[in-house]
Amino acid sequence: MQLSQSASRRLVRASALYDLFLTAGFATPWTFALVHGQLSGLNVAMGGAALPAFTPFHMLFACLMGSIVLVWSVLRILEPTTRLGRFDGTGRFLFSLWMTWCLYVTGEPLLWLFIVPEFAWGVAQWWPVAD
């Protein structure tokens, strides 16, 4: 089964909206501090440990990631092409790989809430598209 061109565009835009919603809180040190606390509490509720405190240096990398994902999301919302979806799918496979590595190393259950959708979005955006 192949996706139509219009279905592919809707899928790319939907993945971008998902990213926009999920990563907006990672874009600034102030919002990330709130998100970090929520993620830590969720991890504890799932049976894991509290997440370690972030130093300003750690926060820098979290905010850089959040900022670039926001820009990438807006690009895909404005131009939801199959080509950009393929690039996004590749990025999601890489994110899934590194999150799976972290899950292996730490065993923190919170990671499953990120690994599964990342991998699923990657598969969906690499699904065959009709010409």
Side-chain angles (χ1 to χ4, degrees):
M1 183 177 123
Q2 294 182 329
L3 293 174
S4 67
Q5 289 289 331
S6 62
S8 175
R9 284 191 299 276
R10 285 192 306 271
L11 180 67
V12 172
R13 185 173 280 129
S15 75
L17 290 167
Y18 168 84
D19 284 347
L20 190 67
F21 173 76
L22 198 66
T23 60
F26 288 76
T28 74
W30 308 278
T31 56
F32 182 72
L34 296 171
V35 169
H36 182 271
Q38 295 298 314
L39 292 175
S40 184
L42 184 55
N43 197 52
V44 169
M46 295 176 73
L51 300 180
F54 271 43
T55 67
F57 196 74
H58 297 111
M59 191 84 67
L60 167 68
F61 286 98
C63 294
L64 288 174
M65 185 273 303
S67 297
I68 199 67
V69 171
L70 286 180
V71 171
W72 177 240
S73 298
V74 171
L75 173 63
R76 289 178 294 127
I77 289 167
L78 296 175
E79 296 182 30
T81 65
T82 299
R83 181 172 184 256
L84 292 181
R86 298 289 196 238
F87 279 105
D88 188 61
T90 301
R92 287 178 188 280
F93 291 141
L94 289 170
F95 272 44
S96 297
L97 176 65
W98 303 129
M99 286 187 257
T100 301
W101 168 80
C102 189
L103 176 65
Y104 174 75
V105 172
T106 68
E108 296 300 341
L110 176 69
L111 291 165
W112 283 111
L113 299 179
F114 293 92
I115 293 168
V116 171
E118 281 300 310
F119 190 78
W121 281 116
V123 168
Q125 290 186 108
W126 271 96
W127 203 260
V129 176
D131 293 331

